[in-house]
Amino acid sequence: MTDESWAGWYRDRHGSEAVILTTDGQQLRIRVRGTDFEGASFDGLGPVAGVTVRDGAFDLADGVLGDCVLEWDLPLPVLVSGTVRQATLGCLLSLRRADPDLYLALHLDGAVYESNRAEGDFAAALATIQRILPPDMHLQTCIACAFSDYFPAPVRGLSGGLACFRGAKDAYRDVAGGEEVAGLWDRRTGFVQEIWSCREFEPRPAHGAGTGHRGAFPLELA
């Protein structure tokens, strides 16, 4: 995977500054006030190994950035009437509470398609947007891909816990149900961000085999 960089803003009680978020689809990285942070989830960004954080510079919660707001934009591929177009996804994430508040807004051709104002994770927020898109428009990201799934469990994280099975495509095409996903779990290629997209994307089937543990997209209600 090739790294992507997204311009944005970081804000906390100490002030605000422009930042660059960088990801390879799995690991996130950001530099704030000269300090480098990284993690697999947006709510799990901790200082990189060997970095000492200056006392009072940040409000860390369990060693990761907390009591802050992140805002950024990224290009997002959308299939429109059979043609892939590049939309812009605006992301606003507040980590000022015990549970993160996430808001997403998809911009394309002057129209804006919004998630709810306080979504709990990227999967739910993207599902909300997909539901309100016109019938001929479909998100082309990992959350909507035929080869991605979550481990069968009652909860999931804010982001980054989505398993990719692009290295076991044929096996995953036959999977329908949590037990079958659990049996295939060790064959996953790795974990990906829900807002990531790669060249091996295929649309998720609407029902039956290949819908895995989480079902079709967007099956769940936000």
Side-chain angles (χ1 to χ4, degrees):
M1 293 183 177
T2 302
D3 285 4
E4 287 188 5
S5 294
W6 308 322
W9 286 89
Y10 171 91
R11 300 191 297 274
D12 63 14
R13 65 187 179 92
H14 305 287
S16 64
E17 70 172 84
V19 294
I20 300 294
L21 274 161
T22 301
T23 182
D24 59 2
Q26 299 175 322
Q27 196 77 354
L28 300 159
R29 298 182 297 280
I30 186 173
R31 171 173 287 188
V32 184
R33 300 182 189 123
T35 301
D36 292 316
F37 296 84
E38 65 180 0
S41 179
F42 287 96
D43 59 349
L45 296 169
V48 300
V51 168
T52 301
V53 178
R54 179 169 51 85
D55 288 344
F58 302 96
D59 296 311
L60 301 183
D62 296 324
V64 300
L65 287 174
D67 197 18
C68 63
V69 174
L70 284 169
E71 187 172 4
W72 70 100
D73 293 335
L74 66 141
L76 197 81
V78 178
L79 187 67
V80 182
S81 299
T83 301
V84 176
R85 303 275 301 282
Q86 286 294 334
T88 298
L89 185 69
C91 307
L92 179 62
L93 173 63
S94 175
L95 298 174
R96 294 189 182 280
R97 303 177 182 177
D99 296 319
D101 283 350
L102 175 67
Y103 165 70
L104 302 180
L106 185 76
H107 299 257
L108 181 64
D109 293 337
V112 182
Y113 307 93
E114 301 173 282
S115 74
N116 295 318
R117 284 285 171 176
E119 301 276 13
D121 57 56
F122 279 83
L126 290 167
T128 299
I129 289 176
Q130 181 61 65
R131 277 190 211 94
I132 62 176
L133 291 179
D136 64 340
M137 291 177 59
H138 303 277
L139 301 178
Q140 301 284 278
T141 63
C142 288
I143 191 62
C145 182
F147 309 119
S148 64
D149 213 332
Y150 293 103
F151 187 79
V155 295
R156 63 177 178 238
L158 172 67
S159 67
L162 185 64
C164 173
F165 291 93
R166 67 182 182 275
K169 292 179 181 178
D170 290 340
Y172 188 82
R173 291 184 205 274
D174 296 328
V175 168
E179 290 187 6
E180 294 182 18
V181 171
L184 193 63
W185 197 248
D186 289 344
R187 296 184 61 186
R188 67 189 183 278
T189 303
F191 293 98
V192 290
Q193 294 294 328
E194 288 80 356
I195 51 179
W196 188 256
S197 183
C198 83
R199 289 176 294 180
E200 297 187 54
F201 175 90
E202 290 185 20
R204 195 164 188 82
H207 52 77
T211 54
H213 160 62
R214 63 188 180 93
F217 177 81
L219 174 65
E220 62 180 310
L221 295 178

